Amino acid sequence: MSTDCIFCKIIKGDIPTKKIYEDDDFIVFHDIKPMSKVHFLIVPKLHIETLKDCTETHQSLLGKALMLAPKLAESQGLLGFKTLINTGREGGQEVFHIHVHVFGGH
Ligand code: AMP
Ligand code: ZN
C-alpha cells in the first residue's frame, strides 16, 4: 500500500472504477482511457512498482495475473486479446503500480 498511488487508492475504494473482477490478490477494472473497444487492467493488490522490482517471491502472483487474462477476456466477450506490461518511464509506464493491460475487440 502506497498512500500516493492511484491504483492503491482504487484498491482501497477511495477512487471509483468500472470494476469487472476482484479477489484476495487482484482487482480488475476498465481503463479510464481505453485504447481499444475493450481495455482493462489486471492489478495486483500488492504495491509493486514495476516488473523490474519483482523477485522470485512474486512468481506465483505474476503467473496468476496472466492466468486471469483469458478468463476475464472471455467474460468480456472477447475471442482473442492482446496483453501489455509497460515497465519504467522509458517503457511507457505512467502508473508505478504493476499492472497488465488487456486489449480486445479490434
Ligand atoms: P501505464 O502507462 O502502463 O502505466 O498505464 C496506466 C493506465 O492506467 C493508463 O492506460 C491510464 O489510462 C490508466 N488509468 C489511470 N488512472 C486510471 C483510473 N483512475 N481508472 C482507470 N484507469 C486509469
Ligand atoms: Zn500502489
Side-chain angles (χ1 to χ4, degrees), residues 3 6 11 17 20 22 27 31 35 57 66-67 78 82 91:
T3 47
I6 189 160
I11 291 158
T17 50
I20 62 174
E22 184 167 12
I27 188 165
D31 197 291
M35 308 260 285
T57 58
L66 290 180
M67 296 295 289
L78 301 175
K82 294 180 185 182

Side-chain angles (χ1 to χ4, degrees), residues 6-7 10 15-18 29-35 39 41 43 84-88 91-101 103:
I6 189 160
F7 285 178
I10 287 172
I15 296 176
T17 50
K18 290 203 283 179
F29 49 86
H30 289 285
D31 197 291
I32 205 164
K33 287 187 203 156
M35 308 260 285
H39 178 185
L41 304 173
V43 182
L84 171 73
I85 303 175
N86 291 325
T87 301
Q93 188 173 3
E94 288 174 7
V95 176
F96 282 76
H97 179 134
I98 195 168
H99 52 280
V100 180
H101 293 256
F103 306 98

Side-chain angles (χ1 to χ4, degrees), residues 7 17 31 33-34 39 41-42 49-52 56 59 62 75-76 93-94 104 106:
F7 285 178
T17 50
D31 197 291
K33 287 187 203 156
H39 178 185
L41 304 173
I42 300 173
E49 290 199 356
T50 82
L51 196 55
K52 290 199 292 185
E56 274 184 27
Q59 273 191 50
L62 290 173
S75 82
Q76 296 300 302
Q93 188 173 3
E94 288 174 7
H106 299 89

